[in-house]
Amino acid sequence: MEFIIYSIYTITLILLILFNIYIYHALFSSKFGKYPPFAPTIGKRKKIILDKISEILKKSEKQITFLDAGSGTGTIIIPLAKKFPQHKFVGIEWTFYPYFISKLKSGNLKNIELIHGDMFKSNFKEVDILYCFIVENFKKPLSEKILSEMKKDSIVIANGSHFETMEIVEEVKFDKEWLSNSIYFYRLK
Ligand SMILES: C[S@@+](CC[C@H](N)C(=O)[O-])C[C@H]1O[C@@H](n2cnc3c(N)ncnc32)[C@H](O)[C@@H]1O
């Protein structure tokens, strides 16, 4: 009995320490909330995003260039790249550890390019579909960049952020989830 209690205590302590390390890392890497910290898209939200993007990619006869702006550990981009070898996938991630994990996870997939860098230093003009999961104060600079660089008819998918300067074509709501922000789909004019 004592052994079980001791084990539960030790595991809880280890999890708490790991969680604290993650929080401090997220705080520092996001410059205290100025930039989106690393947080992967998971669960129902991930499934919906993957299903919706897959629908578009499946239908397209021409090669699509998909960009995950802030690709983290590749939670979204890697399953898509595996499923659609005919399309091109680019992920940009500036925090080293998630980027490194995404590189390991992507193995030797030929249709994916993972860049360790700043999304604002990259040009979006070749991008057909842009996906992002960002924080509130990133909305203005990112939407300005999208609108000035991306082509007419390209698609933007924002997990949790509504870009007021773009017209929504679909909104998936999450009223009962802990993260209640919708997923927004836009088509550029
Ligand atoms: C909320 S996470 C989303 C990860 C992944 N896209 C997903 O949905 O699972 C946002 C990511 O953006 C990265 N990031 C923040 N600012 C960035 C920038 N300027 N350039 C590239 N990546 C950035 C963060 O390090 C973080 O990993």
Side-chain angles (χ1 to χ4, degrees), residues 67-72 90-94 115-119 122 124:
L67 172 73
D68 186 341
S71 45
V90 182
I92 308 174
E93 171 55 53
W94 78 354
I115 302 164
H116 178 220
D118 183 354
M119 62 175 94
S122 153
F124 295 170

Side-chain angles (χ1 to χ4, degrees), residues 1 16 23 29 43 57 78 114 130 154-155 172 182:
M1 189 62 187
L16 274 173
I23 293 292
S29 71
L57 294 176
I78 294 173
L114 295 166
L130 180 142
S154 4
I155 295 169
V172 180
S182 304

Side-chain angles (χ1 to χ4, degrees), residues 8 53 99 102-103 154 170 174 185:
I8 293 173
I53 299 173
Y99 158 77
S102 71
K103 278 297 260 190
S154 4
E170 191 182 345
F174 292 87
F185 295 81

